[in-house]
Amino acid sequence: TSIAVQEKTRGAALVAGALCLPVIIGGFTIRERVGRDGARVFDQVMSLVSDRFVDTLDASALYEKAARGLVKQLNDPYSELFSPTELKRFSSQSSGRYGGIGMQIEDQDGSIVVVHVFSHSPAQTAGVQPGDHIVAIDTTSIHGWSSQKVSDVLVGTVGTKVKVRFSRPGVTEPIDNTFTRAEIHVPAVPYALMLDDRVAYIPLQTFNEDAADELQSSVNQLVKQGAKSIVLDLRNDPGGILDQGLQVADLFLRSGQQIASVRMRQGPPQLYAAHDDEHIQSVPLVVLVNGYTASAAEIVTGALQDHDRGLVVGTTSFGKGLVQTVFPMDGGWALKLTTGKWYTPSGRSIQKNRKPANPDDVDAVAEPAPDSPEKESVKKDRPAYRSDGGRVVYGGGGITPDVIVPDDTISTPEQTFFKTIAPKYPAVRGVLYSYALELKGTVSPSFTVKPEWRNELYRRLQAAKITVDRAQYDAAAPLIDRWIGNQVTELAFGDSAVFRRQVPSDQQLQKAMDLLRKGATQKDLFSLAQASGAPKR
């Protein structure tokens, strides 16, 4: 039958093709002429800049600037031209492994301060402590350096040596250490724990090269401890390596179930499917997301939602659904170029279209802050799709949760205070950090922030010539107490202790726990979510 239809329409098709032929030829001629004109303009600009610009520019530098300008004019925030140094940094961030000494540093009002020391690293072995200030590297003062520049110098080939001089609050003499760089591993799962006698909590903070293995290991460990359900926290997870995203989804899905598809400029869609039976059996699963959940984290969330394998709670994810391919080039350079778009198994596009930060700048492409928290009523304006079980899931960019629970908000006085001190925050954080270092040895895990601590912090801010309005400061007391409590807890007891301190006030997590306590199966969770007020279609 299809052949007959083709025979009947062939004449019409040929006529249409014939009618289009002059237009196609004309268009090709115009494009060819425009291409020649553009090449001529480029050559003339390069020549004039090279010969007449007030400052002499090296020819290679000119070509690099031209190449960077071309990539920038694509108006795509995800396409980047990497120099060899930038490529090395990008690769380290993506893999979660690098050659270094094992410290996390940040710029605190012009000083480069150690804020975290990784376990089993050269820095930990040498006794480096949070709060230490980096003064010099290999006898060169780092005064005026950015934290990124310091990091670039400290990172290097495994087995090579680097000398670092530190200053430590309360210690008069500088501390000199010579480190042998080792392979440093930044964990994808920083910790995993039981929230009660049956709910396992696992935060997956990035999709590096060990993400799937660390997740499965954490799940196995907690199941042995009696876990009957799982909270997978993907909030603030920016994504990472595609293959790891696919492997993480594969842990929960059955063989053959589609994980995602990608559509490129040419050719048929590329399909990605689970290839093993689910490693993590059908224990009830809740996935937490927010406006900073992006990329590979959204691919996983979309697949679990479409296949009714996970109940999604939180706020709509970021909406980063573009595919980037890294193309190696001569001289160690590389081009990361957007080449396609991601779609969930039900056909939803993950990419959320955004406007430039400045509406008057048509060439600007901004990476805006995530959307404000949504209400359930917002869903009605989004295109609707169906999960495997017939549930309504929503498109329109990003992953819209099954149950929307806004992020925790701060009071108006707290917002006013934070906005006022925002330009001074690095300096404020430096004072807070130093004070917390003094307090960490005086507290137990269940400590309560004392009013006198808040008063002492204010006194130290004044002594550091950081002007803070006292009335605003006092009005924001709950926020300041949380800052002090969390910073002291992190330094004294680690990240997992900070998390436990925040659990009672984490409304999204509390909702997930409430649902898991009431639902014995994944189907129960969906029924509970529907009963809680999710709109019907």
Side-chain angles (χ1 to χ4, degrees):
T1 302
S2 60
I3 294 176
V5 172
Q6 290 174 6
E7 290 294 336
K8 289 179 182 178
T9 58
R10 182 178 297 164
L14 288 174
V15 171
L19 291 174
C20 289
L21 190 57
V23 178
I24 293 172
I25 293 174
F28 179 75
T29 303
I30 291 171
R31 287 197 300 271
E32 193 175 53
R33 185 172 65 248
V34 169
R36 287 200 302 266
D37 290 345
R40 188 178 299 112
V41 169
F42 178 81
D43 288 342
Q44 291 174 350
V45 169
M46 285 290 287
S47 178
L48 287 169
V49 170
S50 179
D51 295 340
R52 302 297 183 87
F53 185 63
V54 63
D55 294 324
T56 302
L57 293 173
D58 179 76
S60 62
L62 274 179
Y63 281 109
E64 178 186 335
K65 291 178 184 296
R68 291 190 183 278
L70 171 59
V71 175
K72 182 178 180 180
Q73 286 301 310
L74 295 176
N75 290 337
D76 173 24
Y78 306 116
S79 291
E80 297 180 75
L81 178 63
F82 292 135
S83 68
T85 299
E86 292 166 338
L87 178 61
K88 183 178 181 180
R89 185 187 308 154
F90 171 75
S91 299
S92 297
Q93 292 171 347
S94 299
S95 68
R97 295 182 183 274
Y98 63 94
I101 62 178
M103 305 181 303
Q104 182 180 341
I105 60 175
E106 68 178 36
D107 190 332
Q108 293 184 4
D109 197 28
S111 295
I112 305 303
V113 181
V114 178
V115 296
H116 184 73
V117 178
F118 293 111
S119 298
H120 312 297
S121 66
Q124 185 187 58
T125 302
V128 177
Q129 299 178 10
D132 287 350
H133 293 234
I134 299 178
V135 177
I137 300 175
D138 289 333
T139 71
T140 301
S141 169
I142 65 158
H143 180 71
W145 288 21
S146 67
S147 57
Q148 186 60 67
K149 183 175 181 180
V150 173
S151 177
D152 287 343
V153 174
L154 291 177
V155 172
T157 304
V158 172
T160 58
K161 296 184 182 297
V162 60
K163 297 179 181 178
V164 183
R165 169 168 287 187
F166 300 89
S167 67
R168 180 173 296 167
V171 178
T172 56
E173 295 296 321
I175 301 171
D176 292 315
N177 279 307
T178 298
F179 300 95
T180 299
R181 293 183 178 96
E183 182 178 83
I184 306 301
H185 171 58
V186 180
V189 179
Y191 53 86
L193 43 82
M194 298 287 287
L195 293 176
D196 54 22
D197 59 353
R198 59 167 293 165
V199 179
Y201 173 81
I202 305 174
L204 185 60
Q205 63 182 9
T206 186
F207 284 78
N208 63 22
E209 62 185 17
D210 296 318
D213 287 342
E214 290 185 27
L215 175 59
Q216 183 171 9
S217 175
S218 297
V219 170
N220 292 343
Q221 179 182 354
L222 295 179
V223 167
K224 288 180 180 178
Q225 295 178 23
K228 304 299 182 184
S229 57
I230 299 171
V231 175
L232 177 61
D233 194 346
L234 297 182
R235 292 176 296 180
N236 305 315
D237 187 326
I241 301 173
L242 163 63
D243 182 63
Q244 287 297 309
L246 300 176
Q247 289 187 43
V248 166
D250 201 348
L251 293 175
F252 295 95
L253 298 177
R254 297 189 306 275
S255 179
Q257 286 186 308
Q258 188 183 130
I259 298 173
S261 64
V262 59
R263 303 174 192 175
M264 298 190 175
R265 183 174 175 178
Q266 297 175 337
Q270 296 179 10
L271 305 180
Y272 298 88
H275 53 78
D276 291 322
D277 287 334
E278 55 185 338
H279 299 274
I280 300 172
Q281 298 301 315
S282 300
V283 295
L285 171 69
V286 172
V287 182
L288 297 181
V289 299
N290 64 7
Y292 294 96
T293 303
S295 193
E298 294 177 287
I299 291 173
V300 171
T301 304
L304 298 180
Q305 188 181 48
D306 282 0
H307 292 305
D308 301 302
R309 183 59 188 90
L311 180 76
V312 183
V313 174
T315 54
T316 299
S317 63
F318 183 82
K320 198 275 188 182
L322 298 177
V323 181
Q324 281 74 50
T325 304
V326 178
F327 297 94
M329 301 190 302
D330 293 342
W333 289 69
L335 177 62
K336 178 163 72 76
L337 191 66
T338 297
T339 55
K341 289 186 177 181
W342 286 110
Y343 292 82
T344 73
S346 66
R348 295 179 288 164
S349 172
I350 296 174
Q351 180 65 15
K352 180 180 292 186
N353 295 323
R354 290 178 166 85
K355 295 180 180 179
N358 178 5
D360 298 326
D361 185 357
V362 296
D363 292 327
V365 175
E367 194 64 51
D371 296 337
S372 59
E374 296 175 310
K375 298 179 180 178
E376 288 285 352
S377 59
V378 174
K379 290 182 178 179
K380 65 182 176 60
D381 298 322
R382 296 186 182 277
Y385 296 76
R386 293 283 176 178
S387 71
D388 291 354
R391 294 187 307 120
V392 176
V393 292
Y394 295 88
I399 303 298
T400 299
D402 301 302
V403 180
I404 292 178
V405 180
D407 289 317
D408 301 329
T409 57
I410 60 177
S411 66
T412 299
E414 290 170 338
Q415 292 180 35
T416 300
F417 170 73
F418 187 76
K419 289 178 181 178
T420 301
I421 66 137
K424 315 167 192 174
Y425 184 71
V428 172
R429 173 162 166 73
V431 174
L432 170 63
Y433 199 91
S434 296
Y435 184 37
L437 280 170
E438 297 178 24
L439 292 172
K440 74 171 188 175
T442 68
V443 298
S444 63
S446 59
F447 75 91
T448 300
V449 174
K450 301 176 182 179
E452 51 263 38
W453 293 359
R454 193 185 327 122
N455 292 332
E456 175 62 14
L457 177 62
Y458 182 82
R459 188 194 68 77
R460 293 184 181 217
L461 291 172
Q462 297 298 104
K465 302 191 183 305
I466 301 171
T467 304
V468 178
D469 180 84
R470 183 69 203 221
Q472 287 186 347
Y473 185 85
D474 290 339
L479 173 66
I480 295 164
D481 285 355
R482 288 196 297 274
W483 284 357
I484 296 173
N486 290 340
Q487 188 64 81
V488 173
T489 300
E490 179 185 354
L491 292 171
F493 308 109
D495 293 339
S496 62
V498 176
F499 164 74
R500 287 195 181 278
R501 187 180 187 89
Q502 296 171 337
V503 167
S505 61
D506 188 335
Q507 298 304 310
Q508 295 171 339
L509 179 56
Q510 289 296 325
K511 181 64 175 180
M513 292 176 65
D514 180 60
L515 290 166
L516 288 170
R517 287 172 181 140
K518 294 176 180 177
T521 67
Q522 196 69 49
K523 187 176 180 180
D524 289 344
L525 294 182
F526 296 136
S527 297
L528 289 166
Q530 187 66 51
S532 69
K536 299 178 180 179
R537 282 284 182 103

